Amino acid sequence: MNTQVLYNDIPNTPEVQSVKIGSSVLEVVRRGPVKDRLNKRHQYDRVKGARSGWHVHKFGGSSFADPECYKFVAGLINTFDGKNLIVVSAMSGITNNLYAVCERAKVCSSFVESAEWSLLQSRILDVIALRLGETLAQTKEVQRFNTDLKYLTTVLSLMQDASEDDRELITSLVVGYGEIWSARLLTQIMRLDHHRSAAFMDARDVLVVDPTEDDNNTIDVCWDVTRTKLKKWFVNRKRCDVLVVTGFIARTLADDLPTTLKRNGSDFSATIFSVLSKAHSVTVWKDVDGMYTSDPKKNPDAVFIPYQTFEEAEEASLRGAFVLQKDCIEPARLANIPIFLRNCFNLSCPGTRIGPPDDQSIASNSDDETIFFMDESVAQSPWHEEVVYFNEDRCENQEFLEACADAMPDNVMNGASDTNSSLLI
């Protein structure tokens, strides 16, 4: 079997010896690009019995169509009261670009010259430049992006000689980078534009799943392992009131390798993290007002549905409703956490509420003594010299709060830290 030397020219990357195809795929994918100063350690304050209220929000690719959309979403997030965990998809069209690059890499080594690869680079760099401006954060984000591209070039260069299983593994790794770029960028925007104590989480450092071989391609969440990783992740992280998490991607239990939650996986990620954070609610932001009796884009007589039980929503999904898949609903149903479907482009509509009656929708609190909360302290950012303040005086969107829930009790965040995870501060 031929050997290849893997990306020894990448700055700050440990020297990699020549390895064989097959084992090389596992080693390169498992290692990933080198982390930099994002790993700076910080400690949360711990108070026995304190409770932290989290709300989960998921924004899909249509919410990130262009630079202005990122600005709009960041402004919307800034109106949310309390502590919010934001699950994001890739920028619109980027995941398809990455899939196309993977297909091209299977048949030729000149994939970096393809239109898909060029479009990928130009779109991401343009958004970074327009949203972050001439700041140190922009310089660092461009550096990270270029390092990612060098790493992906190395991995994709293995495609032609790889087995089908290895090709699937490489594809799972590559297509997940759209979410990473999107989440990192949104985190920086929240900090620069709104001075929020926002943190970035690569879900692959926390979320562990066990894909099955059944006909339905079921993905089982390894809850105990994931909770342990989440707890470790949070121990060494700054206090934050906005946590931006990559949707769609995770890590396998058997091989400890990157994987995806398949199409619509970001919705699944949102309900998974709503359970892990013991959130009061999870809001899935789409480009439709909520659930209808039929597709409103095709049928003008479709009737809006303001409320459904979990069972009704799952049944609608099995009948072909495209808004929310059954697998995405199940974690929230098991934890009794209500799901709100709302239109990112029509804030006047309260959306559809899926779940139990209002008086039964409060998630249970944890008796875990390791509790985390936000105070009014000050953090020094390693990315720039100015001081970033944790400001609890947020602009409250009363319409949004009233539409989401009648009450907002605090809930416990049962989690803490993986020292290998990336944090933007």
Side-chain angles (χ1 to χ4, degrees):
M1 191 78 68
N2 293 329
T3 61
Q4 297 185 17
V5 178
L6 303 181
Y7 71 98
N8 289 331
D9 61 331
I10 297 180
N12 300 322
T13 301
E15 184 176 354
V16 181
Q17 303 299 324
S18 61
V19 290
K20 293 182 178 180
I21 297 297
S23 64
S24 66
V25 173
L26 298 180
E27 291 180 16
V28 175
V29 170
R30 202 174 266 128
R31 180 177 56 248
V34 169
K35 301 294 192 296
D36 50 23
R37 292 175 62 190
L38 299 180
N39 287 331
K40 189 161 182 156
R41 293 172 62 88
H42 298 289
Q43 293 292 331
Y44 268 75
D45 291 323
R46 301 182 180 185
V47 176
K48 182 177 180 179
R51 298 190 301 172
S52 299
W54 286 85
H55 292 258
V56 174
H57 299 265
K58 180 265 177 177
F59 291 89
S62 60
S63 301
F64 301 118
D66 54 41
E68 286 303 310
C69 286
Y70 275 92
K71 179 180 179 180
F72 171 78
V73 169
L76 179 62
I77 294 170
N78 196 48
T79 68
F80 300 159
D81 190 42
K83 303 182 74 173
N84 294 279
L85 189 154
I86 313 298
V87 176
V88 301
S89 296
M91 186 189 305
S92 178
I94 291 297
T95 300
N96 289 337
N97 279 145
L98 289 168
Y99 272 115
V101 169
C102 288
E103 290 301 312
R104 184 174 291 273
K106 292 177 183 179
V107 297
C108 69
S109 58
S110 59
F111 59 88
V112 293
E113 300 173 3
S114 66
E116 294 85 0
W117 186 261
S118 298
L119 180 61
L120 171 75
Q121 293 184 77
S122 62
R123 288 192 66 197
I124 299 296
L125 290 173
D126 285 349
V127 175
I128 292 174
L130 288 171
R131 288 276 60 90
L132 301 184
E134 295 182 1
T135 63
L136 185 56
Q138 186 251 19
T139 301
K140 289 291 185 180
E141 206 56 50
V142 170
Q143 290 176 350
R144 293 192 196 102
F145 179 63
N146 288 333
T147 300
D148 290 342
L149 291 184
K150 290 181 179 180
Y151 172 65
L152 293 181
T153 300
T154 300
V155 176
L156 287 165
S157 68
L158 303 173
M159 272 288 205
Q160 281 187 281
D161 297 319
S163 66
E164 284 302 317
D165 287 341
D166 283 347
R167 286 182 173 185
E168 183 177 349
L169 171 61
I170 292 172
T171 300
S172 295
L173 166 72
V174 172
V175 299
Y177 268 81
E179 276 69 20
I180 293 173
W181 299 326
S182 187
R184 285 197 315 223
L185 177 59
L186 183 61
T187 303
Q188 293 286 29
I189 296 171
M190 292 304 303
R191 298 190 69 86
L192 288 174
D193 291 357
H194 303 288
H195 305 289
R196 299 295 292 263
S197 49
F200 160 75
M201 177 192 286
D202 183 344
R204 298 174 304 180
D205 293 333
V206 172
L207 180 55
V208 180
V209 298
D210 186 17
T212 61
E213 300 296 332
D214 61 21
D215 295 337
N216 297 322
N217 293 319
T218 304
I219 297 177
D220 295 326
V221 179
C222 302
W223 293 104
D224 291 341
V225 176
T226 299
R227 286 190 178 97
T228 299
K229 284 181 172 288
L230 183 62
K231 182 174 293 187
K232 291 180 180 178
W233 191 92
F234 256 105
V235 164
N236 297 319
R237 293 305 184 272
K238 262 293 183 184
R239 291 178 294 270
C240 64
D241 60 352
V242 176
L243 178 57
V244 185
V245 182
T246 56
F248 183 57
I249 56 178
R251 191 169 293 274
T252 60
L253 176 66
D255 302 316
D256 193 32
L257 294 171
T259 190
T260 70
L261 303 181
K262 313 306 177 188
R263 289 292 186 177
N264 300 308
S266 291
D267 290 350
F268 194 16
S269 297
T271 54
I272 290 171
F273 276 99
S274 72
V275 174
L276 293 171
S277 63
K278 297 187 181 295
H280 177 65
S281 65
V282 52
T283 302
V284 180
W285 294 88
K286 303 240 179 210
D287 57 358
V288 293
D289 289 341
M291 296 290 285
Y292 283 80
T293 53
S294 60
D295 188 346
K297 297 178 180 179
K298 299 178 180 179
N299 181 9
D301 296 326
V303 178
F304 176 73
I305 303 174
Y307 169 75
Q308 281 190 323
T309 65
F310 287 122
E311 293 73 19
E312 289 171 340
E314 289 179 340
E315 183 180 350
S317 173
L318 294 175
R319 292 200 309 265
F322 68 95
V323 178
L324 204 61
Q325 300 300 312
K326 180 180 183 297
D327 291 344
C328 304
I329 300 171
E330 184 176 9
R333 178 181 64 81
L334 294 175
N336 221 30
I337 299 172
I339 302 172
F340 294 89
L341 300 178
R342 295 203 62 192
N343 190 340
C344 194
F345 306 104
N346 183 17
L347 299 180
S348 63
C349 180
T352 297
R353 181 181 182 278
I354 298 173
D358 287 341
D359 58 353
Q360 299 178 18
S361 62
I362 298 177
S364 61
N365 291 322
S366 169
D367 58 1
D368 192 331
E369 295 185 3
T370 305
I371 308 299
F372 309 105
F373 73 102
M374 186 189 78
D375 63 14
E376 296 179 346
S377 60
V378 179
Q380 177 66 43
S381 168
W383 295 113
H384 42 78
E385 295 301 325
E386 72 255 26
V387 174
V388 180
Y389 289 87
F390 294 163
N391 179 13
E392 289 185 295
D393 297 325
R394 307 300 181 205
C395 173
E396 296 186 8
N397 184 333
Q398 291 298 330
E399 178 184 353
F400 167 79
L401 297 177
E402 292 169 4
C404 283
D406 293 329
M408 296 176 58
D410 290 339
N411 291 316
V412 176
M413 178 67 178
N414 181 18
S417 98
D418 187 302
T419 57
N420 292 325
S421 179
S422 297
L423 173 66
L424 292 176
I425 51 179

